[in-house]
Amino acid sequence: MTSRRSSLLPAALLAATLVASAAVPAAAAPPTEPEPAPTGGISVTGQTAPIHDPSLFIDESDGTWYVYSTGEVGRANGGTIQTWSSHDEGVTWEYDGNVWDEIPTWIDDHFADGALPDNLWAPELYEHDGTYYLYYSASRFGTNTSVTALATNTTLDPDDPDYAWVDQGPVIASPQPIAGGKEFNAIDAGIIEDADGTPYMAIGSHWYGIFLVEIAWPSGKPVPGALENAVHLVDRFAPGNRVEAPFIEEHDGWYYLFVSFDACCQGADSTYHVAVGRSRSVTGPYLDKDGRDMLGGGGSTLLDTHGAIVGPGGQSVDDGVLAFHYYDAANEEIPYFPRLGLHRLAWEDGWPVVDQTAGLPEIAVQPDDATARRNGSAQFAIEVSGAPAPVVTWETSADGGETWQPAAGSTAQLATDGSAAYRIEKARSESDGLLVRATVENAHGRVQSDVAQLSVAKPGRR
């Protein structure tokens, strides 16, 4: 059985910045196991917005992290599913473009009797037997007139000549009856295989809640009779039945059902939060920490609003990393813009846990000026704090601070040990007077260091 679950081995999160004072012969070095990646929030930088409903996929073959997210509103950039990638374990992100230039014409034909979908929603990326399955939804907002559709690809690398998302058309639509005549909303697909390799799709939003539908490979579509035999997994039995975004993950013989509760997409007023239950069977029942069935209103809160993270939800999980969107209260330029959030899960007593400590980034030790001989080295270092551990990026200016550029040879550094440094290996004469500064940020804020200066000593005369 192959699936989207990755066995990627963790690597060091903080780039090395110091040269070792002495080398240990290889023969004398005892074998060591890789250090486990620290749990907790992963501070991100780069292009991380607007990201909504992120589907995280970690490619075990080369370590690339991918996120697929809901398309932009108003059909901006075509309104289709957006793609993003990271090559440093989720710290620095780049926008890679959209799956297609425009929404498939069959979707507009499907909704031709009324308002057309504004964008494509809620992607789910799953790999099986060398094929990548991308499920996505289209809906008439505020109704359950919806469809979940499928596209397939043989690679996730947009630079690969074989890269092409081939639309496979509709998978499941609503309104139509499910599981004994109940109503559902055909959005927010989440794919899981059971221990025998049988694939299922969890799906639903509001109405009667979340259902589990059997699908088949290689089509990736429901088996005959799947809707009539669907399993009802979650119903809150509350006005509006605010539950959606189901995602099922297996861990240590348990299946964990992650869902989003309450109000999404309302900026500062969003009450979205992530809840979870577990079962020994993929078909449930899913019980929360207090033994309450999620089909009867149960669900233990995992992640909620804290600090500048408002309304987290729309989640997925891969390789122990929880991906979600939230409304960014720390964004001064566009308050409450939807942004990517990442958190390495810890496990306690058989349950996933997150650390919701919110600490603004601070700089305890500012960078000092540095002097280097020509072709010699220089280093600028800072000590920082914050929760989660902040990410540090370095910039330089060669025009007295009029303009700033990313520091040459520097990468974003996740300051898990409270320190970060920028090292110049060969200082050139023309670098005399170069200005250096650091930006320190996490989900709750951003701070910039003092400016330090590089002096390059002129060679002495004999």
Side-chain angles (χ1 to χ4, degrees), residues 293-319:
D293 194 332
M294 295 182 75
L295 188 56
S300 297
T301 296
L302 173 67
L303 181 66
D304 207 344
T305 294
H306 61 287
I309 294 178
V310 176
Q315 67 289 322
S316 62
V317 179
D318 197 9
D319 196 31

Side-chain angles (χ1 to χ4, degrees), residues 347-366:
W347 295 86
E348 295 180 1
D349 300 323
W351 289 94
V353 295
V354 300
D355 183 355
Q356 294 194 155
T357 304
L360 289 171
E362 296 182 355
I363 301 175
V365 176
Q366 297 283 351

Side-chain angles (χ1 to χ4, degrees), residues 1 5 192-198 200 247-258 276-287 294 347 350-351:
M1 174 175 76
R5 316 303 177 211
I192 181 67
E193 293 181 30
D194 69 9
D196 297 325
T198 303
Y200 293 88
F247 189 92
I248 301 175
E249 177 79 348
E250 188 275 335
H251 179 81
D252 283 350
W254 289 92
Y255 294 94
Y256 293 84
L257 173 56
F258 300 83
V276 65
R278 70 179 187 178
S279 175
R280 285 293 188 185
S281 169
V282 72
T283 58
Y286 286 87
L287 308 183
M294 295 182 75
W347 295 86
W351 289 94

Side-chain angles (χ1 to χ4, degrees), residues 29 46 52 57 83 130 135 137 149 160 172 176 234 275 278 309 339 395 408 441 450 461:
H52 213 272
F57 186 98
T83 67
Y135 295 87
S137 301
D160 190 312
I172 186 171
Q176 64 173 311
V234 186
R278 70 179 187 178
I309 294 178
R339 189 182 186 192
E395 295 177 299
E441 62 181 316
D450 295 343
R461 295 182 180 179

Side-chain angles (χ1 to χ4, degrees), residues 257-393:
L257 173 56
F258 300 83
V259 295
S260 296
F261 280 165
D262 293 342
C264 173
C265 317
Q266 297 182 20
D269 297 325
S270 296
T271 57
Y272 230 30
H273 60 281
V274 180
V276 65
R278 70 179 187 178
S279 175
R280 285 293 188 185
S281 169
V282 72
T283 58
Y286 286 87
L287 308 183
D288 67 14
K289 290 182 178 181
D290 297 321
R292 298 175 300 169
D293 194 332
M294 295 182 75
L295 188 56
S300 297
T301 296
L302 173 67
L303 181 66
D304 207 344
T305 294
H306 61 287
I309 294 178
V310 176
Q315 67 289 322
S316 62
V317 179
D318 197 9
D319 196 31
V321 178
L322 175 73
F324 56 94
H325 72 252
Y326 66 94
Y327 302 96
D328 185 4
N331 189 330
E332 297 179 356
E333 186 176 347
I334 311 176
Y336 301 101
F337 208 44
R339 189 182 186 192
L340 174 66
L342 296 173
H343 202 295
R344 288 190 183 274
L345 297 172
W347 295 86
E348 295 180 1
D349 300 323
W351 289 94
V353 295
V354 300
D355 183 355
Q356 294 194 155
T357 304
L360 289 171
E362 296 182 355
I363 301 175
V365 176
Q366 297 283 351
D368 291 328
D369 294 340
T371 300
R373 296 177 181 272
R374 190 177 66 178
N375 292 326
S377 63
Q379 181 171 284
F380 301 86
I382 58 175
E383 294 183 10
V384 301
S385 62
V391 61
V392 179
T393 53

